[in-house]
Amino acid sequence: MSPDLATRADSRSSHITPRDHGRILRLGDDLAARLSRAIGSTGRVHSVFARAINVEWADGRLLTLHGPGPLRAPFAAAVERVALLRAPRPDAPVIVEPGRLRLPGLVLTWDEAAPIGCAIPAPPPGLDRAVVDTLRHHGTGRATGLDSPRGVAARAALAGAIGSGDAARLVEAASGLLGLGEGLTPAGDDCLVGALAVLHAIGHPALVRPPTPAAAIARAAAERTTAVGREFVVHALAGRFSEPMLTLLRARAPLEAAEAARRLAGLGATSGMDTLAGLRLACLAAA
Amino acid sequence: MAQATVVKRGAYHDSVALLRLARALRTRPGVREAAVVMGTPANRDLLADAGLLTEEARAASSNDLVVVIEAETAAGAAAAASAAEPLLARGGRDTARGARSRPRTLAGAARRTPDANLALISVPGRFAAAEAHTALTAGLNVMLFSDNVSLRDEIALKHRAIDGGLLLMGPDCGTAYVAGVPLGFANAVPRGDVGIVAASGTGLQQVACLLAARGRGVSHAIGVGGRDMSAEVGGLMTLAGLDLVGADAATALIVVIGKPPAPEVGERIRAKLAAIGKPAVACLLGRDAAVGTRGPVTTVATLEDAATATDARLAGTPWQPRPFTLAGVDARIAVARRGLTPAQSKVLGLYAGGTLAHESRLILESLLGPVGSNLASSSAGGEPDGDREHQILDLGADEFTVGRAHPMLDPTVRVERIARAAGRPDLAVLLLDVVLGHGAADDPAGDVAPAIEAARSTARAHRRELAVVASVVGTAADPQGLAAQTARLEAAGAWVLPSNAQAARAAAAIAGPEAVRATLRTGGTA
């Protein structure tokens, strides 16, 4: 059983009365595997938004539930109706049962959900020319935090680290970006995730050559950014990304890549643009 | 100066709400700065850099929301701080919800207003196609203001609209006039006998305003979306729009505005115009526009020429394009050049209107050579990163509008760019557009005028001048008032020309070598 989902259901579960039922339509394959290993564990509703909720497990890791459509995070599950997500309140218990999640007033079944591959496959598939060309035209807009002197320096450090192929420099540069800037997922985290996507896709030596920097960056993320930002970074270190990001990375034609970049840019307030900024930075630095 | 801090432990709000909150707080009386960030170590460093790291902020943790307000008085800071929480509860919006119930779906709205025959859809792109299909199902014509609608969806929607005898204007249709009703970003222009079909919002606005200045009005103006004339879409809605204005008894002349169509689409448009037989003016902004009249169609190279050629054809007078319509332009250019150093030779265009930016780029390229731009098919290869070339930036493009409103509404990006440009020792001319009308900002000239003044002042501090050249797309009847907006810009030191094309030529004449001025003096319109 996965230790992160292994906490036993506590006594609060006996007070949960299901009122509404819904289906999870799609979820990341890694998340599906984790849920399967975690029957009986309990989490809590961490945060509630207009169209999504986050669930936090005992180890601080997150699951995002949002409405139908592409998975906006590798740790996300898409439910059939966004209205289902209006019932849960912060701190409400969430219990993993066979084939379903149980929340106060809500049961979500996941046994028929389609598992979505959110990982960049091995060996690294590389990036099509269409994607590289598209990134030349996108990713120049970004949150103001990334244009602050610290943001500029952190981006320059990341570009330098990628250019050098030095894992230690990559850790240092990542630390400079973590938690930097606007947003619940700070802009620096988004930028770093974008850069990591490129590094995974091309199998960049700074990321894959032992000793790899993943553990050190994950430790820095635990200390330096928000819970949501950390979750994105930890998954990115493992090569797992949102569907809009993967759609862009997999594009093989200019129109397809441009459309994917536009969709990615539209995520969040500046998150999509900040992610594109990271993709572009890594593309240029690696070249 | 006083500061107030709000720290909300473990508070999670989406990023859009946080950005809205910061912006709403910055606009409150007496507030100098407002920072809204998560309390991560890096953000605490940013706050320290900005002089905003209060004791409360210093003690925050990564999952705490930190709001720091700096205001002229302690009372002002406290008032803004106390407003933060209620604002956040409304998703950062600085307006209370109206009490009147509003329909929650398009179908519900259609049921409530059975006489409606048009739906204006402005929702995030990924939902827009579904809403447009709903509207078509309800028998409504559609103005699809949303962008980021896929090409496949656009084609499907347009075929469906044509099958149902309906219009699908858009996607990314910013402006239209239907039977005298302005939709989207639209100026107050009179009704008249000019029918317009346009794949460009600000292009349509420029032509309609210049026609209004000549006493001409618009019968209908159909926006078709920027991709309609592509090979993929095949000009579906352009042709449908031409059918509409062609059959309209109130339309005496048809104007078509856009970028160069795909060859086969251009053929269909020409055939359609010939079949309609009404006089027509085609303004398809490209490098190789064959200016002149063939059959019923006069082809022009600029938006201003579209208006002047239309006016001349309706009046039955000869038409000739002119580089400038003002008197004393040479003297004004000479004055503008007087304070420039030998190093100042570049033009930077910061545009709210995408088509106006495109037009300026074409004019500058023809007079000055390569121009860097974030516009598609830039001669200098995409978004310019460096400051060593002529640049035209469309600040309404996706990369500049994420998380904030279009620059016609929110001047933040342009003001920042103007301030940055002031430090460039090679920059001779700052070229701007200001777009008035319904839907635009309340005081767009006033929004940028302080930045213009500050930029010119910065340049003077470095012992050089910075020429600022602008045009205002608007009419005397617009809510903001053309004369007042022009006066505000001129008071800030800008030279305001009657059209975007003239402004671009003036910019080239100021920044360029003597040969450019000679070309323009001899009537070359570029």
Side-chain angles (χ1 to χ4, degrees):
Chain A
M1 180 178 291
S2 167
D4 50 75
L5 296 186
T7 313
R8 295 285 301 170
D10 65 18
S11 59
R12 288 176 296 183
S13 63
S14 60
H15 302 297
I16 294 175
T17 306
R19 295 196 188 104
D20 205 349
H21 287 72
R23 289 177 302 149
I24 291 175
L25 304 177
R26 328 168 69 242
L27 77 173
D29 53 1
D30 174 68
L31 175 60
R34 291 175 66 205
L35 287 175
S36 299
R37 293 194 301 265
I39 306 301
S41 68
T42 297
R44 70 171 185 102
V45 175
H46 169 271
S47 42
V48 177
F49 307 102
R51 296 183 169 274
I53 64 174
N54 286 323
V55 175
E56 182 180 35
W57 306 112
D59 65 347
R61 301 293 297 275
L62 297 179
L63 152 68
T64 295
L65 294 166
H66 61 61
L71 298 178
R72 282 177 253 153
F75 49 94
V79 303
E80 61 182 324
R81 285 175 288 128
V82 75
L84 291 166
L85 304 177
R86 290 184 189 139
R89 294 287 172 262
D91 288 326
V94 181
I95 304 170
V96 185
E97 296 181 345
R100 61 188 191 174
L101 293 176
R102 183 188 287 265
L103 295 86
L106 176 64
V107 170
L108 292 171
T109 58
W110 53 272
D111 50 351
E112 294 179 5
I116 306 300
C118 289
I120 292 177
L127 289 177
D128 192 274
R129 188 80 229 161
V131 177
V132 176
D133 288 344
T134 295
L135 289 173
R136 289 217 174 97
H137 297 276
H138 290 77
T140 53
R142 51 195 164 252
T144 54
L146 289 177
D147 276 334
S148 68
R150 286 179 189 276
V152 170
R155 285 189 288 122
L158 183 60
I162 293 169
S164 70
D166 184 320
R169 285 182 65 182
L170 186 61
V171 173
E172 192 178 340
S175 298
L177 281 167
L178 286 164
L180 180 75
E182 301 88 331
L184 183 57
T185 312
D189 296 21
D190 291 320
C191 180
L192 178 60
V193 167
L196 288 170
V198 169
L199 300 188
H200 273 290
I202 63 176
H204 193 273
L207 194 62
V208 300
R209 190 187 295 151
T212 66
I217 295 175
R219 276 196 301 277
E223 294 167 1
R224 296 188 61 81
T225 191
T226 65
V228 181
R230 181 194 59 203
E231 195 68 23
F232 273 101
V233 170
V234 166
H235 280 272
L237 288 166
R240 291 190 294 271
F241 299 93
S242 69
E243 282 196 280
M245 170 91 89
L246 292 167
T247 301
L248 173 58
L249 296 175
R250 291 166 182 157
R252 292 292 179 268
L255 196 61
E256 182 189 12
E259 180 63 22
R262 271 197 294 274
R263 285 179 186 274
L264 182 58
L267 292 183
T270 64
S271 277
M273 289 306 299
D274 298 332
T275 305
L276 274 171
L279 285 159
R280 183 176 198 262
L281 178 153
C283 242
L284 296 175
Chain B
M1 203 61 60
Q3 294 180 331
T5 308
V6 177
V7 175
K8 295 193 45 98
R9 308 277 172 212
Y12 302 101
H13 297 270
D14 69 48
S15 300
V16 175
L18 300 183
L19 280 176
R20 277 199 198 121
L21 174 62
R23 183 163 163 73
L25 291 174
R26 285 186 197 119
T27 62
R28 296 187 87 81
V31 171
R32 291 285 186 87
E33 184 54 284
V36 180
V37 292
M38 302 304 288
T40 61
N43 282 340
R44 297 199 301 268
D45 289 341
L46 285 180
L47 291 173
D49 293 345
L52 295 172
L53 187 63
T54 60
E55 283 306 311
E56 299 97 315
R58 192 190 304 276
S61 70
S62 291
N63 289 309
D64 297 339
L65 173 62
V66 179
V67 181
V68 183
I69 295 144
E70 187 169 85
E72 290 163 4
T73 64
S82 63
E85 197 150 350
L87 278 169
L88 210 46
R90 295 199 298 270
R93 293 180 186 87
D94 200 4
T95 51
R97 280 170 183 263
R100 196 168 70 89
S101 75
R102 292 187 291 185
R104 296 177 61 183
T105 66
L106 197 151
R111 281 194 300 273
R112 197 182 286 194
T113 48
D115 294 339
N117 65 359
L118 184 144
L120 195 162
I121 295 173
S122 176
V123 297
R126 58 189 180 279
F127 309 117
E131 293 298 330
H133 276 296
T134 302
L136 293 173
T137 300
L140 299 170
N141 296 287
V142 174
M143 176 173 173
L144 194 48
F145 194 81
S146 309
D147 57 3
N148 289 319
V149 173
S150 75
L151 187 61
R152 193 174 61 177
D153 283 338
E154 177 178 350
I155 293 168
L157 284 165
K158 287 182 170 174
H159 277 296
R160 246 200 97 186
I162 287 168
D163 290 346
L166 297 168
L167 283 175
L168 190 294
M169 296 185 281
D172 201 11
C173 175
T175 304
Y177 297 86
V178 177
V181 178
L183 298 168
F185 292 116
N187 302 88
V189 302
R191 290 201 72 179
D193 55 3
V194 180
I196 302 176
V197 178
S200 144
T202 47
L204 193 164
Q205 286 185 269
Q206 170 85 99
V207 173
C209 289
L210 293 172
L211 286 170
R214 287 156 178 78
R216 303 277 178 196
V218 171
S219 54
H220 304 278
I222 309 300
V224 298
R227 295 184 301 213
D228 193 74
M229 297 182 193
S230 66
E232 292 84 355
V233 184
L236 289 171
M237 212 39 62
T238 302
L239 298 170
L242 289 175
D243 279 336
L244 191 151
V245 292
D248 176 40
T251 299
L253 183 148
I254 299 168
V255 179
V256 183
I257 303 168
K259 292 177 185 169
E264 64 273 30
V265 177
E267 281 304 315
R268 279 180 227 145
I269 292 171
R270 276 187 284 277
K272 178 70 76 179
L273 288 171
I276 291 170
K278 289 183 178 179
V281 172
C283 178
L284 301 168
L285 295 167
R287 293 191 179 89
D288 306 314
V291 174
T293 299
R294 281 181 59 190
V297 183
T298 298
T299 299
V300 299
T302 69
L303 298 163
E304 180 177 43
D305 290 349
T308 57
T310 295
D311 185 38
R313 289 199 63 174
L314 287 171
T317 56
W319 170 76
Q320 184 69 35
R322 295 164 59 194
F324 295 107
T325 56
L326 295 175
V329 166
D330 280 352
R332 189 74 191 255
I333 291 168
V335 168
R337 287 181 51 76
R338 203 168 293 154
L340 302 181
T341 67
Q344 289 180 272
S345 62
K346 302 302 179 198
V347 178
L348 171 63
L350 299 174
Y351 273 85
T355 300
L356 301 177
H358 175 70
E359 180 183 57
S360 288
R361 191 190 69 187
L362 292 172
I363 291 171
L364 291 182
E365 280 178 349
S366 68
L367 291 169
L368 298 177
V371 174
S373 177
N374 64 330
L375 294 157
S377 69
S378 163
S379 64
E383 161 80 15
D385 270 339
D387 288 342
R388 296 177 298 281
E389 54 189 3
H390 305 294
Q391 294 178 355
I392 295 290
L393 295 181
D394 170 15
L395 301 180
D398 292 349
E399 61 265 35
F400 292 112
T401 55
V402 63
R404 53 168 59 93
H406 191 278
M408 284 191 208
L409 294 168
D410 182 348
T412 307
V413 172
R414 181 143 70 169
V415 165
E416 287 171 1
R417 292 269 174 168
I418 291 172
R420 202 187 299 174
R424 282 181 55 180
D426 64 333
L427 189 65
V429 185
L430 200 52
L431 177 60
L432 306 172
D433 64 338
V434 170
V435 182
L436 314 184
H438 301 295
D442 293 340
D443 180 14
D447 286 341
V448 294
I452 293 170
E453 289 162 355
R456 297 184 76 232
S457 175
T458 299
R460 283 198 196 103
H462 291 86
R463 298 185 177 181
R464 59 177 185 263
E465 289 291 331
L466 176 62
V468 180
V469 176
S471 65
V472 180
V473 177
T475 69
D478 277 333
Q480 304 89 344
L482 177 60
Q485 291 288 298
T486 300
R488 182 70 185 93
L489 289 171
E490 289 182 334
W495 179 17
V496 182
L497 286 109
S499 71
N500 180 60
Q502 292 193 47
R505 291 186 195 113
I510 293 169
E514 176 54 33
V516 172
R517 292 181 285 283
T519 299
L520 292 170
R521 223 175 278 130
T522 55
T525 55

